[in-house]
Structure formats: C-alpha cells, structure tokens
Amino acid sequence: MSFSIQPLNPASLPAAGALLAEAYTTDPSILSYFDGISPGRFMPLLAKYFTLLTELGLAHGKVLSATVDGDLSGIQIYYPPGKYPLPRRAQWRAQLTIARTLIPALGVRKLIQMSQVISQLEEAHTTEPHLYLEIACVLPRFQKQGLATAFTRCVFTEADAAGVAVYLETSNPTNLPLWAKLGFCISSKHDFGGTAYWSLLRSPLNHQRQPY
C-alpha cells in the first residue's frame, strides 16, 4: 500500500463530500440532525452538506486529502491559529447556504434545532490560541494501516510550530481512545439537543497535558 497526503484539489469537492457522507453515516450528531430522512435522500443530502463544509474549509482554512493507491481515502478540514471563528459575514453566508440546502428535507423545526446545537458548540469553543481540527476522517477500509496517524501528524506539526493547542469536538465516544493515544485530553463534555459532545485539546509539543 502506498499513500499520499496533499491539499485537496477544488475539482475533487464532490468526491470529498461523498467520502465524508460515507464516513459519518453512523455519527451520533449527524443522526440527530438527519433523523427521519428516507434512505434514498439521506446520502445525497449528507454529501451536499459535507461538500458545503469542505468548500468553506477551502475558502477560509485548509483541507487535506489522503489517497491510497490513487483512491481518495480521507479528508481533514482544519483552521490554523487565528482563522476561527470565521468572519461574521462568512458565517452568515455559510448559514444561509446550508439552510437553503437542508430546509426542503429537514424542515424548519429540525433546522432550528441544528442551528441551536451549532451555536452551543460555538459558545463552548476554547478561547485559548489553537488550531481547530473541524473534521478528520479516514474511511474504515483504509484504517489501521498508519494513514490516520500520518494524516493527523501534518496538523500537529503545524500547531507545534506555532506553539498552540489542537482543538476538536466529537460526538462519537468510540473515537475517544484514538484521540487519547494521539495526546488529546477531554477539556469538557456537554449535552446539546440530546446528544453528548466532547471537546478535546492536544497541547503543543514540549507542553503536553496528561492524557485522560
């Protein structure tokens, strides 16, 4: 197996959206947002949603892609220090675009619930200088081969060079042992909209917290 990691080519946006949709089909937060959507509409809608998030990452942060033997296998979206939160105007445009995309399927009530959870996550977001790792995934069939570690190392190197922490959120408890092995500590836990969310921090090299 040979793999490579490089910035995502904007021409690969649809493929990135489809990959993330496949990777997050069982994620608790995603299931809470898209509960009740028919199977035939679920994956296309999820792919559109993640394509929008990836496009936002390309515009204001950084997006890395991983390929294994030429096949797209993973995506990372992150925001370097000082790039998150987004400028207010960019936030409004993103929220409007997402709303227009999702409201026909989710309806107003579900979209409001989703917006409230996102706002609560923003309020809980760390205030210390950091690199925000918004999305990090490798498809299951490419896992346990060293790719995920190499993938995250790119982000860690950038954060360590800047002397800042790496911050992320997860609603999937099965991911916690993996993040612990990579040096993350739980900074807080919240229940938003009936779903548990963990906020995790990894201190820069030579200033490590004790893993949980």
Side-chain angles (χ1 to χ4, degrees), residues 82-100:
K83 294 295 185 179
Y84 197 93
L86 301 179
R88 185 66 64 182
R89 181 173 295 182
Q91 291 184 42
W92 289 341
R93 287 177 177 172
Q95 291 168 1
L96 182 59
T97 301
I98 290 173
R100 286 173 174 170

Side-chain angles (χ1 to χ4, degrees), residues 117-130:
V117 171
I118 292 173
S119 295
Q120 289 171 316
L121 286 170
E122 292 291 345
E123 290 176 6
H125 202 100
T126 184
T127 56
E128 72 173 86
H130 67 285

